[in-house]
Amino acid sequence: EAQVTQNPRYLITVTGKKLTVTCSQNMNHEYMSWYRQDPGLGLRQIYYSMNVEVTDKGDVPEGYKVSRKEKRNFPLILESPSPNQTSLYFCASRGWGGSSPLHFGNGTRLTVT
Amino acid sequence: DAKTTQPTSMDCAEGRAANLPCNHSTISGNEYVYWYRQIHSQGPQYIIHGLKNNETNEMASLIITEDRKSSTLILPHATLRDTAVYYCIVSANTGTASKLTFGTGTRLQVTL
């Protein structure tokens, strides 16, 4: 089944403790992206990647890192999480060329205390 | 990518057609109009997209005005399960236009 898989679904951590949220897609998509969603603010793009070893900042990149060493994986790294990064996170991917739509993962709810 | 404007919320009676508008007056010639929806806190779900012509699939119809400055998503027979936030975004699927901006969408409430 074609899908975008995020792990974990829920994560509670403390301020300053490094964490990684994984994202994997099995559709051979070139483009991958991370979003965060907060009440009243909609979906905001954090980082995106157009292919292996190519990443770029979205609208809210501060406090986050990403890497794209393999086509299928696009982990989101929080080196020193803070409470204002408490949010619902979504990973998405799409193929390149034409008009292929985004496919989203089921989300990761992160709480930083 | 072009900015979109949607109403904050809409209501629709079950069984009736739900018509969700979207304005995208600064859309470029190579930008598509996409519609997604999000049910509760699940991952957004793709519904439909189009460039110039009207489109229809098993979920919905998309009507794009001739000048492409606005569009309407039509759910022909809304059900309670269609209650969700609907997002309209415009984007060119090219290397220089990859920052997809969603906005806050339209919250559609389908009622009995």
Side-chain angles (χ1 to χ4, degrees):
Chain A
E1 180 189 351
Q3 60 186 2
V4 178
T5 303
Q6 295 178 230
N7 280 297
R9 290 294 308 278
Y10 300 91
L11 179 58
I12 301 174
T13 189
V14 296
T15 299
K17 186 176 181 180
K18 181 180 178 180
L19 67 90
T20 299
V21 183
T22 64
C23 175
S24 179
Q25 50 93 5
N26 61 0
M27 296 167 280
N28 201 35
H29 284 166
E30 290 81 5
Y31 179 93
M32 298 185 75
S33 181
W34 277 103
Y35 292 85
R36 63 176 288 174
Q37 186 171 35
D38 305 287
L41 296 177
L43 285 155
R44 294 181 292 169
Q45 192 175 41
I46 303 171
Y47 269 94
Y48 63 93
S49 168
M50 291 194 287
N51 216 323
V52 176
E53 302 292 358
V54 180
T55 63
D56 210 343
K57 296 177 180 179
D59 295 312
V60 289
E62 294 77 21
Y64 304 95
K65 285 176 58 178
V66 292
S67 70
R68 189 87 183 275
K69 293 183 172 58
E70 305 166 284
K71 197 172 187 180
R72 63 181 292 124
N73 296 322
F74 189 45
L76 179 69
I77 303 156
L78 285 72
E79 294 270 4
S80 183
S82 62
N84 64 13
Q85 292 178 300
T86 292
S87 188
L88 180 58
Y89 292 86
F90 291 102
C91 180
S93 73
R94 72 176 182 184
W96 212 236
S99 61
S100 55
L102 280 171
H103 297 256
F104 282 85
N106 286 328
T108 295
R109 187 170 292 280
L110 171 65
T111 302
V112 183
T113 61
Chain B
D1 292 335
K3 181 179 171 60
T4 62
T5 305
Q6 299 177 251
T8 303
S9 63
M10 294 181 64
D11 292 328
C12 179
E14 189 176 35
R16 305 297 292 266
N19 297 287
L20 291 89
C22 180
N23 287 323
H24 31 79
S25 58
T26 58
I27 191 170
S28 300
N30 65 344
E31 289 183 312
Y32 290 81
V33 180
Y34 294 84
W35 282 85
Y36 294 80
R37 72 181 182 183
Q38 187 177 24
I39 297 172
H40 195 44
S41 295
Q42 298 175 20
Q45 175 191 23
Y46 165 76
I47 302 172
I48 198 168
H49 73 280
L51 184 63
K52 295 181 183 177
N53 300 320
N54 298 337
E55 302 288 343
T56 295
N57 63 20
E58 66 278 3
M59 289 181 69
S61 295
L62 173 60
I63 308 298
I64 302 174
T65 58
E66 195 168 339
D67 63 7
R68 301 208 327 121
K69 293 184 177 182
S70 66
S71 61
T72 301
L73 177 75
I74 300 172
L75 308 178
H77 304 288
T79 71
L80 296 177
R81 287 184 293 182
D82 292 321
T83 293
V85 178
Y86 288 77
Y87 296 97
C88 164
I89 68 171
V90 291
S91 173
N93 198 6
T94 68
T96 59
S98 305
K99 197 165 87 170
L100 301 175
T101 302
F102 268 71
T104 54
T106 296
R107 182 171 298 277
L108 175 68
Q109 180 69 50
V110 180
T111 57
L112 290 171

